[in-house]
Amino acid sequence: NAGVTQTPKFQVLKTGQSMTLQCAQDMNHEYMSWYRQDPGMGLRLIHYSVGAGITDQGEVPNGYNVSRSTTEDFPLRLLSAAPSQTSVYFCASSYSYRGRYEQYFGPGTRLTVT
Amino acid sequence: GESVGLHLPTLSVQEGDNSIINCAYSNSASDYFIWYKQESGKGPQFIIDIRSNMDKRQGQRVTVLLNKTVKHLSLQIAATQPGDSAVYFCAENDYDYKLSFGAGTTVTVRA
């Protein structure tokens, strides 16, 4: 049981390039989400999904796309990278049980846009 | 929008002492709160949670207190150990599975 995995761990992009951050979970969780974390700040929600085929925007969705074709995978696409997207990106999956939501986070992808 | 915040960005604690990390929230409709621990270079890790129908919940060496009157949440760590050095975040559940995170408190344990 690998939990939540993210690839790559590190990435450097030039302004205007596009790329996909991969996220996978093997816990059969319905809910998955993407966050970004900037220095001195908490995590901000980018996009989330409550199940395969269903996605929605979070707090900071501009410049990012997501899709959820399977329960296991939830990739995050940067359409045209900008220096403001330099950040650490975390993927998380969670389940709900009796009103409690326990989120499991991946190890993160550190992205630098030059 | 509503926000969740922590009172102090840093906390230095002597090993063996108890730690108290505070968090203020502004959304009076929030009904579920979670504390996370994030070690350097890693993703956040669930510590303990509490629903709004409770005012205290205990785990192993940790206790979360919720004061709905003043919209205040705290995390108490008993007998702080070097392994407790990390950034601690409080988060509140807006709706569905969405969480809003505070900015975090960095806890440093002195030997």
Side-chain angles (χ1 to χ4, degrees):
Chain A
N1 192 334
V4 180
T5 58
Q6 290 183 240
T7 56
K9 290 190 186 303
F10 301 94
Q11 182 70 48
V12 179
L13 291 178
K14 294 188 187 308
T15 297
Q17 287 184 316
S18 62
M19 80 158 294
T20 299
L21 307 185
Q22 301 292 343
C23 174
Q25 53 98 1
D26 60 0
M27 297 173 283
N28 202 33
H29 289 167
E30 288 197 1
Y31 181 74
M32 297 185 73
S33 54
W34 277 102
Y35 295 87
R36 60 176 289 172
Q37 184 175 35
D38 300 302
M41 299 181 69
L43 285 78
R44 292 185 291 169
L45 183 64
I46 304 171
H47 286 285
Y48 66 101
S49 168
V50 299
I54 306 169
T55 63
D56 206 346
Q57 296 181 349
E59 181 185 354
V60 289
N62 293 339
Y64 308 94
N65 273 356
V66 292
S67 60
R68 184 97 180 270
S69 56
T70 67
T71 298
E72 294 79 19
D73 301 298
F74 191 44
L76 177 73
R77 298 183 187 85
L78 279 70
L79 309 173
S80 178
S84 61
Q85 293 179 305
T86 293
S87 189
V88 181
Y89 291 85
F90 290 100
C91 178
S93 73
S94 63
Y95 69 93
S96 174
Y97 178 70
R98 293 185 178 179
R100 298 179 59 212
Y101 312 133
E102 184 161 343
Q103 281 202 344
Y104 294 81
F105 284 84
T109 294
R110 186 174 296 273
L111 176 68
T112 302
V113 182
T114 61
Chain B
E2 304 290 355
S3 64
V4 178
L6 288 163
H7 290 309
L8 294 174
T10 62
L11 179 66
S12 180
V13 182
Q14 186 70 38
E15 183 179 356
D17 287 352
N18 296 334
S19 304
I20 299 176
I21 306 165
N22 295 305
C23 178
Y25 66 95
S26 57
N27 186 353
S28 57
S30 295
D31 63 357
Y32 182 63
F33 304 88
I34 307 173
W35 280 99
Y36 287 91
K37 173 186 180 182
Q38 185 177 26
E39 296 176 77
S40 180
K42 297 183 178 180
Q45 181 181 13
F46 174 95
I47 301 174
I48 192 168
D49 59 356
I50 189 167
R51 295 201 64 82
S52 60
N53 61 352
M54 304 172 70
D55 53 18
K56 181 179 180 179
R57 190 156 190 256
Q58 287 184 293
Q60 188 175 15
R61 278 201 312 119
V62 295
T63 300
V64 55
L65 300 177
L66 176 63
N67 185 331
K68 294 180 287 294
T69 302
V70 295
K71 289 185 280 190
H72 182 267
L73 193 69
S74 68
L75 177 71
Q76 299 178 359
I77 305 174
T80 309
Q81 303 170 357
D84 295 326
S85 292
V87 180
Y88 291 80
F89 295 95
C90 62
E92 66 179 315
N93 174 234
D94 290 340
Y95 59 92
D96 288 337
Y97 297 78
K98 291 177 66 177
L99 294 175
S100 295
F101 284 79
T105 291
T106 300
V107 173
T108 302
V109 180
R110 306 189 307 271

